[in-house]
Amino acid sequence: MLLIAAAATAGYWLLCTTFMIYDDEGYVQWSLQNFIRHGHLYGDVYSQYGPFFFVYHEAIARLTGITFNNDTGRLITLVHWLGACLACAALTARLSGSRVLAASAGVLTFTYTWVMISEPSHPGSLLSFLAALLAAYGVFAIRNEKPARLAIMIGLLGAAMTLIKINVGAFAVITGATWLLCNAEAPRLRRVGLWIAAGLSVLVPYALMRGQIQEPWVATFALTSAAANLALVLEFNRLCAKAISPRHLAVFALSGIGLTVVVLAWTMLRGSSGLDLFEGIIAAPFQHPGTYRVPVRWLPGSAMIALVSLMMAATISRRPPQHIVANVIVAGARLILTIGFIVCSVWEFAPLSAARYGLTLVVPFAWLFVHPLGHGSEDNGVRPRLWLAWVLVWQSLHAFPVAGSQINWGTFLAVPLILVGTWEAVQFFAGRQRPSTVWWSRFSVTALGISALLAFTSLATKGYERFRHSRPLDLPGATLVRPPESLSSALRVIAHNLHAHADTVYSLPGMYSFNTWTDRPTPTLANATHWWSLLHGDRQEEIIARLDADPRSAVVVQRIVTGFLTATGFQPDGPLVRYISANFSPFVQIDSYEIWFKRDRRVALFGVGLIDPNRDGYRHLTLINDAYDASATRLEIRPAEQPNLILLAMPLNTLPSLSWQQILDTGKAMDFRHHEWPALGIPPPIRFVLALPADPRWIDFNTLIATLSDANGDVVATFRLVSSQDAPLAAAALNDAEPPTAN
């Protein structure tokens, strides 16, 4: 329980202090909100993901009353994350009988899947949890010889995963179906199952990747996956349980079909048509590999490593179980691979991350951790290990075509496989005596536990430090989120201005957290991250029409993300991109975010401090806020990246002789003026004009923030400073800006 509490706390720290600028989480949460409100999945509400993901979250919402936003998305992701870790710990305990090893598996799985913090709300966390359940339940059912329960669970979990992400679910279904066939009672069916498993091992990777097979990294991926699976098929020959009857196969099929029918029926009751479901579940996902790709960084010679591993498996599989040389080679190779994995997990400067090590080295050699050391199929601990390896190798295909977080999600089952395989290797070298009587056996397990604890401590410490030095974003639906202050201040200012000056908000790429924070709708319910490539022309034209009809529409552009996409050959283009470029203009850039309004608008941006060029030795700083908080008593200016370093502190009720802490000299004058706004029933905006000495050339005002604080030191207003030369439209709008709306 102590480890679970520690992992939950560390996970909370890490999740809350991470916000990715590409904002996949906003896309997922906005899609869930729209589905729950409107239904019509795939017809109106666009999504790349299957209906089970939406039905599952709708059930959570109806049972708990929660809404989906940045806060709840993180909490649900944390539950999935911990669930996957507990499943890996449980199956490790079942296969090894060691509590220390089980705890190590749970902790190392936690550190291995740390990428959960980058993708809160993403289906990857749910898929990881379901994959861990699939592996763990299979281990328990096989060990306890419960084939009927295994068949039912494989059918249910395979269907659920398929109805979330068809490729990942297909891998789970293939895993379960081939396992059942290869363990059939009937010899003929068993032989057919082995041939089917071998054939799919080669054909599925090729079929999945054929559109990009000419790229070296893709060809290596297909070859590595095929070789890893074929090596495991060789183990099926000696490890078949001969326990699956046609009745079990029927149960497997019916359970999967039953869940599929229930999910599809509910989705259709919520407004989706059969054609919509076909398009969303089957047709559209097959177009995604050509839409966006991130390559795997394979080790040099990875293809040769996979082939060598397959040849080793073919050679060793012909040896009898008691062949001492073969067993020494297998056990020794396990220990070497485990040492490398531990180094990559613990050492921050290791040449490979743990996940990259798992994909490039553990997956090709998964069979090594299955091959029985001196005993055969009578040991019911080997077949569960074969099942675990079989799930791992098929799930590793999750990393295609986007080898980012998907590497970790697809290969984390390498952790329990490595640990239980190493446990057997340690026993083998100990002469198969009782492990408790062999001191170095104890030492090995203790070393694994210490290594796992070191990896966890390093990750938890980073989370704690980030949490301790940050403050909440404090936007609607994001009260738990605490990004670095430089990012937080940018997001707050942008959300503030969108709420004040926009009735419709769109973004490039799709960053829909802004819509949650501002309570402003997107043009239509068809929203996607890379919408220029995922939305067909008619949907883009509908968005254009809605943006064009709303004079108060706005677009947020993320320059780092669009620049990265352009540099990697996925430049945003299409009718909607061209429309935005022709009809909107960037008013201001804060960090790497830009706010674009219609070209004919003049908007005074709140929370933005505009700095004029040097005039008579001074620079004029203009701060505009939508309302003046009378409790504000102090103005402070500090670097956005170092919010604890105060460069200038000035009481608002005096003209003090203060300095930029030996960087800048005294502020000259401050002028408080009400801007003339029409009567809207809201407090008038306040303009602060502060004349400062010309700053040293090495100071970049675009990296500074200004804050107004009350007598207790609590911040009541934050401004991001921007050079008026970098935001000419915002500067020109100071004297002829349109008023904000009363809402």
Side-chain angles (χ1 to χ4, degrees), residues 214 239 323 457 561 613 649 680 719:
Q214 70 281 1
L239 298 176
H323 195 281
T457 301
V561 177
L680 294 171
F719 304 84

Side-chain angles (χ1 to χ4, degrees), residues 319-658:
R319 302 293 184 266
Q322 294 77 21
H323 195 281
I324 186 62
V325 175
N327 290 337
V328 167
I329 292 173
V330 169
R334 287 186 194 178
L335 295 180
I336 292 171
L337 286 171
T338 301
I339 291 171
F341 175 75
I342 295 300
V343 169
C344 291
S345 298
V346 175
W347 188 31
E348 185 177 357
F349 304 103
L352 295 177
S353 67
R356 191 176 167 213
Y357 187 95
L359 179 63
T360 59
L361 288 174
V362 178
V363 168
F365 287 99
W367 68 272
L368 275 173
F369 295 91
V370 173
H371 186 81
L373 297 178
H375 47 83
S377 59
E378 72 279 3
D379 185 343
N380 65 355
V382 181
R383 281 192 297 275
R385 256 198 344 263
L386 177 58
W387 164 256
L388 176 59
W390 193 235
V391 176
L392 163 66
V393 174
W394 278 105
Q395 284 297 302
S396 68
L397 287 170
H398 191 173
F400 180 84
V402 182
S405 303
Q406 288 81 351
I407 294 180
N408 303 65
W409 294 333
T411 62
F412 71 92
L413 291 173
V415 173
L417 179 65
I418 286 173
L419 294 187
V420 296
T422 301
W423 174 253
E424 187 190 41
V426 168
Q427 290 179 292
F428 172 78
F429 283 121
R432 298 193 55 77
Q433 302 175 40
R434 290 175 57 85
S436 59
T437 65
V438 182
W439 72 268
W440 64 278
S441 215
R442 289 180 174 178
F443 172 79
S444 300
V445 174
T446 303
L448 283 173
I450 292 173
S451 299
L453 191 60
L454 288 174
F456 173 79
T457 301
S458 175
L459 189 62
T461 300
K462 291 178 183 178
Y464 171 72
E465 289 298 322
R466 286 164 47 173
F467 192 86
R468 187 167 68 92
H469 293 106
S470 60
R471 64 189 182 98
L473 184 56
D474 201 24
L475 289 170
T479 57
L480 302 179
V481 185
R482 308 164 69 103
E485 183 59 29
S486 57
L487 178 58
S488 288
S489 58
L491 296 176
R492 280 192 290 267
V493 169
I494 292 168
H496 189 179
N497 282 283
L498 293 175
H499 185 270
H501 301 302
D503 292 336
T504 305
V505 173
Y506 206 53
S507 45
L508 173 64
M511 301 172 290
Y512 303 103
S513 287
F514 287 111
N515 299 91
T516 299
W517 298 336
T518 61
D519 195 29
R520 295 295 183 262
T522 49
T524 71
L525 298 180
N527 300 298
T529 48
H530 297 186
W531 44 258
W532 56 92
S533 57
L534 292 172
L535 300 183
H536 297 306
D538 55 342
R539 283 183 160 176
Q540 291 195 31
E541 291 297 335
E542 186 179 357
I543 294 171
I544 290 172
R546 297 289 180 87
L547 290 174
D548 199 54
D550 183 3
R552 287 173 49 83
S553 56
V555 178
V556 181
V557 177
Q558 214 327 309
R559 279 298 173 193
I560 287 181
V561 177
T562 56
F564 172 79
L565 291 170
T566 300
T568 53
F570 297 95
Q571 180 176 1
D573 194 16
L576 180 50
V577 173
R578 292 191 288 270
Y579 168 80
I580 291 172
S581 298
N583 293 274
F584 290 75
S585 297
F587 265 59
V588 70
Q589 178 171 336
I590 303 174
D591 281 352
S592 55
Y593 292 93
E594 293 179 349
I595 307 177
W596 292 40
F597 292 110
K598 290 286 184 70
R599 287 187 179 274
D600 57 350
R601 291 190 68 185
R602 290 293 181 268
V603 174
L605 297 176
F606 300 145
V608 176
L610 289 171
I611 303 168
D612 292 334
N614 291 338
R615 290 197 307 238
D616 301 326
Y618 289 92
R619 304 194 74 170
H620 289 83
L621 170 61
T622 303
L623 308 175
I624 298 181
N625 211 29
D626 52 349
Y628 174 61
D629 192 324
S631 66
T633 61
R634 181 181 177 88
L635 170 72
E636 296 178 343
I637 298 178
R638 62 191 76 201
E641 296 291 344
Q642 296 177 282
N644 295 324
L645 174 62
I646 300 175
L647 300 178
L648 172 67
M650 178 178 290
L652 296 183
N653 58 350
T654 63
L655 296 179
S657 178
L658 296 176

Side-chain angles (χ1 to χ4, degrees), residues 7-361:
T9 303
Y12 178 80
W13 289 336
L14 291 161
L15 280 163
C16 289
T17 54
T18 303
F19 182 84
M20 307 305 291
I21 57 175
Y22 50 79
D23 192 24
D24 270 2
E25 61 177 287
Y27 157 62
V28 174
Q29 293 153 8
W30 192 246
S31 298
L32 290 171
Q33 290 182 50
N34 284 333
F35 171 71
I36 292 172
R37 292 170 182 165
H38 307 285
H40 296 275
L41 184 62
Y42 309 123
D44 294 333
V45 177
Y46 175 85
S47 180
Q48 298 159 262
Y49 308 115
F52 182 84
F53 181 71
F54 290 86
V55 173
Y56 169 81
H57 282 86
E58 183 181 14
I60 292 176
R62 292 185 182 277
L63 289 171
T64 63
I66 67 171
T67 57
F68 293 104
N69 52 43
N70 305 90
D71 291 341
T72 55
R74 279 164 171 73
L75 296 178
I76 292 172
T77 298
L78 182 59
V79 171
H80 294 157
W81 190 3
L82 295 176
C85 296
L86 287 172
C88 289
L91 72 87
T92 302
R94 189 72 179 93
L95 292 177
S96 68
S98 169
R99 293 183 179 179
V100 174
L101 214 60
S104 300
V107 168
L108 285 175
T109 301
F110 181 88
T111 60
Y112 195 102
T113 52
W114 68 269
V115 293
M116 298 286 189
I117 69 176
S118 303
E119 313 285 353
S121 301
H122 192 282
S125 68
L126 178 56
L127 286 168
S128 297
F129 177 49
L130 295 179
L133 285 180
L134 181 68
Y137 194 87
V139 164
F140 280 81
I142 295 167
R143 182 101 185 194
N144 295 328
E145 299 182 355
K146 303 290 185 180
R149 294 181 183 180
L150 175 64
I152 293 172
M153 189 56 66
I154 290 174
L156 292 175
L157 292 176
M161 295 171 74
T162 301
L163 293 174
I164 295 175
K165 204 171 181 183
I166 190 169
N167 58 331
V168 180
F171 307 146
V173 172
I174 291 171
T175 301
T178 51
W179 175 271
L180 295 175
L181 288 172
C182 291
N183 287 274
E185 292 175 345
R188 180 176 297 179
L189 188 57
R190 192 163 59 249
R191 287 194 297 271
V192 170
L194 289 170
W195 280 106
I196 290 175
L200 291 177
S201 297
V202 176
L203 293 177
V204 170
Y206 175 77
L208 178 69
M209 305 177 192
R210 68 186 185 282
Q212 293 79 38
I213 201 71
Q214 70 281 1
E215 297 182 35
W217 76 271
V218 178
T220 299
F221 202 157
L223 177 62
T224 299
S225 178
N229 273 312
L230 288 174
L232 288 173
V233 170
L234 294 173
E235 295 295 333
F236 276 102
N237 274 322
R238 76 168 79 200
L239 298 176
C240 290
K242 305 174 185 177
I244 304 300
S245 68
R247 180 176 63 87
H248 297 134
L249 294 173
V251 166
F252 158 71
L254 290 174
S255 59
I257 292 171
L259 180 62
T260 301
V261 169
V262 170
V263 172
L264 296 184
W266 178 253
T267 309
M268 294 180 76
L269 286 174
R270 299 280 280 113
S272 299
S273 68
L275 185 60
D276 292 336
L277 291 171
F278 175 80
E279 175 69 22
I281 300 172
I282 299 174
F286 282 106
Q287 301 172 11
H288 294 164
T291 301
Y292 184 60
R293 297 186 301 280
V294 175
V296 176
R297 293 183 296 115
W298 294 100
L299 292 173
S302 287
M304 184 58 65
I305 291 173
L307 290 175
V308 168
S309 174
L310 178 57
M311 288 188 289
M312 284 180 59
T315 301
I316 291 177
S317 66
R318 298 173 184 170
R319 302 293 184 266
Q322 294 77 21
H323 195 281
I324 186 62
V325 175
N327 290 337
V328 167
I329 292 173
V330 169
R334 287 186 194 178
L335 295 180
I336 292 171
L337 286 171
T338 301
I339 291 171
F341 175 75
I342 295 300
V343 169
C344 291
S345 298
V346 175
W347 188 31
E348 185 177 357
F349 304 103
L352 295 177
S353 67
R356 191 176 167 213
Y357 187 95
L359 179 63
T360 59
L361 288 174

